[in-house]
Amino acid sequence: MIHRKKSSPRRNTLPLHLIAWIVGLFIIIPVVYALIGGFKSTSELSTNPLGLPDTWATENYTDVIGSGSFWLQLWNSTFIAVVTTVLTVGVSALAGFVFARFAFRGRELFFTLFTAGLMFPFAVAILPIFVLLRTFGLLGNPLGVILTQAAFGLPLTIIILRGFFRGIPGEIEEAAIIDGCSPFGFFWRILLPMARPAIATVSVLAIVGSWNNFMLPLVVFNEESSWTLPLGIQQFQGQYASDTARILAYLVLAMVPALGFYAVAERHLVGGLTAGATKG
């Protein structure tokens, strides 16, 4: 009788660990470069781009933190991201609940129309969006950014939440209805608390997407007082040159709030994505 030698589980996972390390390095190296580059002068970045600074120029960070424009842009970004997330998640939760728990004629057709929104990148629609916002008088108004971001965030959010809602056993809903709970009461009191991982997932995606959005605020806002953090980079660019070291310091500081929020909600992120992809 021939006995086959079983391969070690550790040896089987070695390629996966190697790929994870390579991907991690591709992600972390630009962040470390920006962090260290923010402590250099722009001239030193040209002569010594990869090494440690000869003199740690902390004023790049302190000047950004001490400027009133940074905190104003931080507030603008936070306000737009929070309102966009509340609007996107609120509307998508209601739509996902209807698509998941109610059977009506044309349900799959309507859902297909929502999912078709994933095929249209924002850059392709920028000109029609600009004309539409100008027609409704939303240029220079935060609502122009908020409503547009919410509209483009609905398809993916509805897909994730619908998949999670469909995975909730029907017996729970039947028991709630027998106890006198209305459909909306079941949605508000039972379904939403059970969907916290999925809600956290789509909230992270909406906040990070809004936080990093550059093109839409660039199109909508003309006044510097309305700029968000991605637009704040322009204040370090002159007519003939850019203060690259200050730009790197600004980028690092702008990443901190989004990374902090992601670190808090990260434990829900993977579980919510997995549930939305496998349930239903």
Side-chain angles (χ1 to χ4, degrees):
M1 187 174 182
I2 300 175
H3 295 279
R4 293 185 178 180
K5 185 183 292 185
K6 294 183 178 180
S7 59
S8 171
R10 186 176 180 182
R11 189 174 299 175
N12 291 338
T13 59
L14 184 60
L16 296 178
H17 284 90
L18 183 61
I19 293 173
W21 274 102
I22 294 173
V23 173
L25 288 175
F26 272 105
I27 295 173
I28 198 65
I29 286 176
V31 177
V32 174
Y33 175 81
L35 178 64
I36 296 176
F39 287 102
K40 299 179 182 180
S41 63
T42 300
S43 59
E44 188 178 357
L45 276 173
S46 302
T47 58
N48 181 26
L50 299 179
L52 294 176
D54 295 331
T55 302
W56 294 78
T58 56
E59 62 270 13
N60 290 336
Y61 287 95
T62 56
D63 288 349
V64 172
I65 294 176
S67 65
S69 60
F70 174 79
W71 296 104
L72 178 61
Q73 292 154 16
L74 178 63
W75 161 251
N76 293 336
S77 291
T78 303
F79 173 76
I80 291 174
V82 170
V83 177
T84 298
T85 301
V86 171
L87 183 60
T88 304
V89 175
V91 173
S92 298
L94 289 170
F97 172 63
V98 172
F99 283 130
R101 314 299 297 193
F102 291 89
F104 55 91
R105 182 177 298 178
R107 182 182 67 174
E108 296 304 320
L109 175 61
F110 281 113
F111 182 71
T112 303
L113 291 177
F114 274 105
T115 57
L118 294 173
M119 298 187 296
F120 298 96
F122 172 77
V124 174
I126 188 63
L127 182 58
I129 288 173
F130 175 81
V131 174
L132 191 64
L133 293 178
R134 185 180 61 183
T135 303
F136 287 98
L138 293 177
L139 291 179
N141 191 325
L143 277 177
V145 178
I146 292 170
L147 294 177
T148 306
Q149 289 183 156
F152 276 86
L154 285 177
L156 180 60
T157 309
I158 290 175
I159 291 173
I160 294 175
L161 292 181
R162 186 212 189 201
F164 193 93
F165 291 159
R166 291 185 68 179
I168 303 299
E171 291 80 4
I172 297 178
E173 184 175 2
E174 293 173 1
I177 294 175
I178 292 174
D179 289 338
C181 193
S182 64
F184 183 78
F186 168 73
F187 166 76
W188 182 257
R189 297 177 183 177
I190 300 176
L191 202 61
L192 281 185
M194 295 180 67
R196 285 179 182 174
I199 296 294
T201 298
V202 295
S203 297
V204 170
L205 295 177
I207 285 182
V208 174
S210 173
W211 198 269
N212 295 330
N213 198 336
F214 175 80
M215 184 178 295
L216 182 59
L218 180 65
V219 170
V220 174
F221 297 134
N222 293 322
E223 298 182 3
E224 187 174 342
S225 59
S226 301
W227 282 359
T228 57
L229 284 172
L231 293 183
I233 299 174
Q234 298 181 75
Q235 63 191 325
F236 302 112
Q237 294 179 342
Q239 184 176 2
Y240 301 106
S242 300
D243 193 346
T244 309
R246 294 271 176 101
I247 290 176
L248 293 178
Y250 182 91
L251 287 174
V252 171
L253 292 173
M255 285 190 297
V256 170
L259 289 175
F261 175 79
Y262 178 83
V264 172
E266 182 268 339
R267 65 189 183 94
H268 298 289
L269 184 59
V270 176
L273 284 173
T274 305
T278 58
K279 292 187 178 182

